[in-house]
Amino acid sequence: MNFPICNHTAIFLAARTEMTEQQAAKLWCVKSGAIRIDTLAPEATTAKPGFLRLALKGDLIGVERLAAMPEQLRLTAITPSCLSPVNLADEQQWQQCVLQALLSAHQRHREAMDLRCGTVEERVRKLLQLLADSGPDDTDKDLPCTLPSLGNMADILLSTRESICRALTHLRATHMLEDQNPAHMKRRRLENRSHLIRNIQALQ
């Protein structure tokens, strides 16, 4: 096993930026933001890339490539993201890395399935909770999150842009979602704007 030498620096990805082949061939840790992971169909088919899971703060990216898995993946930032390089010094660190990635991927797969259950509004709220990096021990009433594009949310939540837009409108009307910059509320585009999502855990 040849371990990567950490001679590269952290990278910052704007929303909708796809990682290059060179970047995807390295091992990264998500420091902030969210990365959408899609599985690509074989070149001989015309099938659309299929949403697989999200990579969020603390998750590792690139383990599949280092493990020489044949699956082709596309990695795209859905919100502004920062990735830091990971260096593996020996076989023990590689084993720990694989275990961590396995546990994380299992959790993210379960979350991806859950994001496609319930009403569209429930799905939107669950996605924003994930993007806000909230956990069961969070007690803050409101959590900051950055909204992805309507198209990304529609793909991830197995819905339509129109349904997502209606859900966001209702969440804002019921004060479950608040724009952190009310001066720009008249702007039509919600993508990349910082909001506060009401913490469901704190309300229970």
Side-chain angles (χ1 to χ4, degrees), residues 122-195:
E122 289 171 342
R123 288 180 251 168
V124 170
R125 197 165 55 202
K126 286 186 284 189
L127 174 61
L128 297 184
Q129 290 270 152
L130 283 177
L131 297 181
D133 192 32
S134 64
D137 298 326
D138 287 324
T139 58
D140 291 340
K141 182 179 178 181
D142 299 310
L143 299 167
C145 67
T146 300
L147 265 61
S149 68
L150 292 177
N152 270 311
M153 285 194 277
D155 286 346
I156 292 169
L157 303 178
L158 202 62
S159 184
T160 64
R161 298 184 185 202
E162 292 77 14
S163 297
I164 299 295
C165 192
R166 285 193 294 268
L168 289 172
T169 299
H170 186 257
L171 287 172
R172 289 158 66 101
T174 55
H175 304 289
M176 292 296 293
L177 185 67
E178 302 273 356
D179 197 314
Q180 284 195 285
N181 195 345
H184 292 166
M185 285 187 68
K186 292 184 178 180
R187 287 174 49 198
R188 295 185 62 187
R189 185 179 292 274
L190 297 176
E191 180 181 1
N192 293 335
R193 285 168 58 181
S194 184
H195 285 68

